[in-house]
Amino acid sequence: MPNQRPLLLALSGPTSSGKTTIATALSAIFPAPQSLTIHADDFYKPDSQMPMKHGMQDWDCADSLDLEKLREVLLRVKEEAGEVPKDLVRQGNFEDGVHGVKGIHEASIEMIRDRVARWSEELKWRRKIVIVDGFLLFGRSVSSQIGSLFDRKILLRASYLEAKRRREARNGYVTLEGFWEDPPDYFDKIVWPNYIEEHGFLLTHGGDVEKEEKDFDETNGTRPSQEKVFVSPISPQGGLDGLLEWVVGILWEDLQRSEI
């Protein structure tokens, strides 16, 4: 369908839940120009503008991001089917080997890519998919500013212990003005409480982010929450390979429908 507006897919969730891993795998499954990827990490404010909490810089809250710039980019891509601005400075922890498709078997990606190619041909699918990954894309404090721009919102979850283990295994993060390493107790005092505060309302257990959704179906995917967010299991069958299958299954439903 020429000139059809792109589908904006948001992959959000707590630190180390597999957001960038899944986004990178999806970009291989839907290769350019069929898709493009935007990383919310590239919209961090300069180090000197980071808000403070508990005597530490808070890199895990809404005020740490240039949300207005992110909104402008999303609107441009959504309305004009444009490309990511060339002047965006890449940020994040690219030197530590955590990001990428580590943890997903190449055979799984190839199998899904072949399947998607057949789908696309059968359905004459020409609509671009814009994959956006970030820790805060449709949380409570940003829902009206940027959350409403996405066509499909998926919350990728992780348990407290697994998220903490993965986060503390990282070497640090490249920033606009230097380099950031989490200080002691940063995860427990800032990262995890911020995640609960921003995303607890999406869950059906009164905000208990450690409980699985009761009606989760591994085959068809969990139902969307009241906020029209698909919520992943904390521990999906098949690990990251299974999580990728689940996300692609949601996109498959979108591929067959024309209303979103």
Side-chain angles (χ1 to χ4, degrees):
M1 296 182 183
N3 300 321
Q4 188 178 22
R5 68 179 180 83
L7 185 150
L8 264 65
L9 168 68
L11 300 175
S12 198
T15 182
S16 305
S17 57
K19 300 180 295 297
T20 303
T21 299
I22 296 297
T24 303
L26 288 176
S27 70
I29 291 167
F30 298 90
Q34 194 174 11
S35 74
L36 66 85
T37 303
I38 297 173
H39 302 286
D41 282 0
D42 296 339
F43 294 85
Y44 271 119
K45 295 177 181 177
D47 307 38
S48 56
Q49 296 180 24
M50 281 299 119
M52 300 295 293
K53 184 176 182 180
H54 301 306
M56 297 178 277
Q57 287 185 320
D58 185 352
W59 291 79
D60 290 81
C61 67
D63 286 341
S64 68
L65 299 169
D66 187 341
L67 292 174
E68 188 56 40
K69 184 176 182 180
L70 176 56
R71 177 179 172 80
E72 290 175 0
V73 169
L74 293 176
L75 283 172
R76 187 189 314 172
V77 171
K78 186 181 183 74
E79 296 173 1
E80 304 175 10
E83 298 296 327
V84 178
K86 304 295 185 183
D87 60 346
L88 268 185
V89 178
R90 298 307 308 275
Q91 302 182 60
N93 60 326
F94 301 103
E95 79 296 329
D96 66 2
V98 173
H99 283 103
V101 291
K102 183 179 180 181
I104 299 180
H105 295 92
E106 182 60 33
S108 296
I109 295 175
E110 291 180 2
M111 179 183 65
I112 297 172
R113 183 167 51 222
D114 291 343
R115 187 192 317 156
V116 166
R118 292 195 300 272
W119 292 345
S120 299
E121 185 61 31
E122 291 170 6
L123 298 173
K124 306 301 180 185
W125 176 259
R126 299 295 181 267
R127 189 178 181 186
K128 177 176 285 188
I129 300 175
V130 178
I131 306 160
V132 187
D133 83 270
F135 74 93
L136 188 58
L137 298 178
F138 42 79
R140 188 186 301 275
S141 65
V142 302
S143 182
S144 61
Q145 190 169 3
I146 60 173
S148 60
L149 299 179
F150 298 107
D151 299 300
R152 176 61 65 233
K153 293 180 276 191
I154 298 178
L155 180 69
L156 302 179
R157 302 170 70 194
S159 69
Y160 163 83
L161 289 176
E162 186 63 15
K164 183 174 183 178
R165 181 190 68 79
R166 293 176 182 171
R167 175 77 178 225
E168 293 181 348
R170 295 181 175 178
N171 297 327
Y173 305 82
V174 176
T175 67
L176 286 176
E177 298 177 344
F179 192 79
W180 165 262
E181 293 181 87
D182 290 349
D185 299 323
Y186 182 79
F187 184 90
D188 288 319
K189 290 185 176 180
I190 292 181
V191 175
W192 199 250
N194 285 6
Y195 163 58
I196 295 173
E197 181 180 351
E198 289 285 356
H199 299 94
F201 78 103
L202 295 171
L203 308 176
T204 60
H205 295 288
D208 189 340
V209 298
E210 287 288 317
K211 286 188 177 181
E212 293 284 16
E213 298 294 273
K214 289 182 180 179
D215 55 358
F216 183 79
D217 186 325
E218 287 280 359
T219 303
N220 299 314
T222 186
R223 59 145 181 81
S225 72
Q226 292 181 351
E227 294 292 321
K228 296 183 179 179
V229 174
F230 280 82
V231 180
S232 82
I234 296 175
S235 301
Q237 294 180 9
L240 286 172
D241 292 65
L243 186 61
L244 178 62
E245 283 274 9
W246 177 75
V247 171
V248 172
I250 293 172
L251 287 174
W252 166 233
E253 295 297 322
D254 293 338
L255 290 177
Q256 300 176 84
R257 296 174 1 178
S258 59
E259 65 267 25
I260 69 167

